[in-house]
Amino acid sequence: MSLAGALWFAVQDDLFTNGVCNNTTSSSISNTKQDKQPSISEPISAAPETHTVTVLDRLDDRFLSQCLHLNRQCLRFIVDFIQARLKKDVFAPGHSPTPAEANILAALAYFAHGSLPRKITERLEIDQTAAGEAVNRITKLLSDLSPDFVTFPNSYNDRMGAAQAFKNVSGIPHVVGVLGYLHVKVSPPAGEEHMYINTVGYHSVMMQVVFDVDGNLLSLEQCCPGGTPEQTVWENSDIGRQFSIFQHGHTWVVGSRSLLGCGHVLTPVEAFRIKSNAALRFNQAHAQLHGSAQQVFGSLKSRFQCLRDIGPIKSPESVACTIKACCVLHNICKKFSVPLPLDFNIEPLHPPSEVLNIMAEQPFDYMEDTKEEMIEMFFNISEDGNE
């Protein structure tokens, strides 16, 4: 859902326009037709082109997998796309002594490991200073592309497609995404340590993320200190405000119990309110969906190990570019079905940031009332006619 066909057609067109897309890239995009007819302006039989050996061509598949955590087809697309964007950058430095491809691969190596070992920069034939500058530049470029590669299903048909996929795996209707909070370990600014302590007990920055049933990222918000209550983040987020005005219709996102009372966030039924097997079955289905955040966030941190520990930071905003860049790459990897690294680990779920006084009387909430009706309708399965 996050990488709609129209986007990928536009991306491929952009690459062809800039003359950097080769046959490997174009054939790797699943939304492109296999039997493309030649255009009028193209000769039916052209003379064979001379192939220039690139930096990527000189690297073997084992190096790409172990050092970049990506496969060749995905890398070819990423490199071609970034090169096309760099050509449009009027502020780009001209005549760099280092090939643009080596700079891009150096940045991807940093994302994969959180550092740039000398053995990698030597293999790419790039010095450490140039590599560091490349990381900063490519990170900013990818981060700026997040609105294009991380998109929410805004049309009715896209929402219904997303909802049907969630219903197929959980039985819960009208769910268009899972709401989670990605925590990235940091060393916080002096004097602000208390703001960054999360519910697991370490310092982090957090980013609110919504993803679909396949783990594609649909929505990203700004970074904030890891100790920020999840409810506060949701209520002040762009996607939260969109749901509050029913921009996405009568749909849900699945969230943790700390978000009880937040409109359009589907939370589990509180233990003291469970009075039927239907509520129990709903909670099991909810836990299945919400627990998928462990796989999604684990995938992000295993493939892009720079997200395991950013180190000292000046502010949450200084980390946001790195996280968003990795999220863009994550969605591209999903598109190309890139295998996860062998050292993949799931991410533990964080306990809720705040336990609300759920015994207190809550104001009437239209969506909460709808949730009760939905549970009764879809999870009240008759057992021997007694339920």
Side-chain angles (χ1 to χ4, degrees):
M1 284 295 167
S2 61
L3 298 176
L7 166 64
W8 288 91
F9 281 126
V11 167
Q12 191 180 17
D13 180 67
D14 181 72
L15 293 174
F16 275 114
T17 300
N18 286 276
V20 296
C21 186
N22 59 25
N23 291 333
T24 302
T25 303
S26 60
S27 63
S28 302
I29 301 175
S30 60
N31 285 334
T32 304
K33 294 182 179 179
Q34 295 289 331
D35 300 319
K36 181 184 176 184
Q37 298 297 321
S39 67
I40 297 175
S41 61
E42 295 173 342
I44 295 177
S45 58
E49 297 180 359
T50 303
H51 178 67
T52 302
V53 177
T54 66
V55 177
L56 180 56
D57 293 333
R58 295 199 298 267
L59 302 174
D60 59 83
D61 290 344
R62 183 180 180 184
F63 177 88
L64 302 182
S65 176
Q66 292 184 351
C67 296
L68 303 180
H69 298 165
L70 301 167
N71 62 26
R72 189 173 299 277
Q73 288 183 327
C74 182
L75 277 166
R76 186 76 268 163
F77 173 83
I78 294 170
V79 168
D80 287 349
F81 183 72
I82 292 178
Q83 283 183 320
R85 289 291 171 174
L86 291 176
K87 285 185 177 181
K88 292 183 176 182
D89 185 358
V90 297
F91 298 104
H95 306 292
S96 170
T98 305
E101 192 165 278
N103 287 330
I104 296 167
L105 295 174
L108 296 174
Y110 168 78
F111 295 142
H113 299 282
S115 63
L116 273 174
R118 188 169 296 277
K119 66 177 183 179
I120 292 181
T121 56
E122 289 178 352
R123 187 76 181 272
L124 297 175
E125 299 179 359
I126 180 174
D127 63 63
Q128 291 286 334
T129 301
E133 294 173 352
V135 169
N136 292 334
R137 188 174 175 207
I138 301 303
T139 298
K140 178 65 166 57
L141 185 149
L142 287 170
S143 174
D144 290 344
L145 289 171
S146 60
D148 297 323
F149 283 85
V150 182
T151 59
F152 203 80
N154 286 312
S155 74
Y156 175 81
N157 288 338
D158 285 345
R159 285 197 299 272
M160 291 304 98
Q164 186 61 52
F166 276 110
K167 189 172 186 296
N168 289 343
V169 300
S170 69
I172 305 177
H174 309 306
V175 170
V176 292
V178 176
L179 179 63
Y181 294 87
L182 174 65
H183 285 263
V184 177
K185 187 177 181 181
V186 298
S187 297
E192 299 180 8
E193 291 84 356
H194 64 286
M195 298 170 56
Y196 289 81
I197 289 286
N198 60 36
T199 56
V200 174
Y202 65 87
H203 295 104
S204 69
V205 295
M206 61 189 290
M207 179 174 285
Q208 179 178 283
V209 175
V210 179
F211 55 88
D212 70 11
V213 73
D214 296 315
N216 296 297
L217 307 181
L218 306 176
S219 170
L220 305 174
E221 294 292 335
Q222 295 300 315
C223 275
C224 56
T228 309
E230 294 175 357
Q231 183 172 2
T232 300
V233 180
W234 169 256
E235 291 176 346
N236 289 281
S237 67
D238 290 337
I239 192 71
R241 285 190 286 268
Q242 291 170 14
F243 271 96
S244 69
I245 60 174
F246 290 86
Q247 181 174 326
H248 302 292
H250 296 268
T251 58
W252 309 91
V253 290
V254 168
S256 72
R257 61 189 178 92
S258 68
L259 295 164
L260 176 67
C262 293
H264 293 265
V265 180
L266 193 59
T267 56
V269 179
E270 300 79 33
F272 76 95
R273 287 179 175 158
I274 295 178
K275 300 176 182 178
S276 67
N277 287 334
L280 287 172
R281 281 189 287 268
F282 166 77
N283 274 6
Q284 291 172 352
H286 181 282
Q288 174 192 0
L289 292 183
H290 189 251
S292 61
Q294 295 180 280
Q295 176 78 22
V296 174
F297 294 158
S299 298
L300 271 164
K301 289 189 176 182
S302 295
R303 193 187 307 280
F304 308 112
Q305 294 177 12
C306 64
L307 298 180
R308 290 181 174 176
D309 191 343
I310 293 289
I313 66 167
K314 296 180 180 179
S315 67
E317 292 75 18
S318 64
V319 189
C321 278
T322 299
I323 299 177
K324 288 184 177 181
C326 291
C327 289
V328 167
L329 294 172
H330 168 87
N331 274 1
I332 296 174
C333 289
K334 296 289 292 184
K335 187 69 176 179
F336 284 90
S337 301
V338 181
L340 288 168
L342 296 177
D343 60 348
F344 164 75
N345 291 304
I346 64 172
E347 177 77 357
L349 283 178
H350 286 231
S353 55
E354 280 189 347
V355 178
L356 302 176
N357 182 9
I358 58 178
M359 296 298 293
E361 183 177 354
Q362 301 290 330
F364 175 76
D365 178 29
Y366 166 78
M367 294 303 292
E368 189 67 21
D369 192 52
T370 303
K371 179 176 80 172
E372 295 177 4
E373 295 176 359
M374 177 269 292
I375 293 173
E376 183 68 21
M377 179 178 298
F378 289 91
F379 291 89
N380 189 13
I381 302 172
S382 177
E383 298 176 355
D384 297 329
N386 295 324
E387 187 173 333

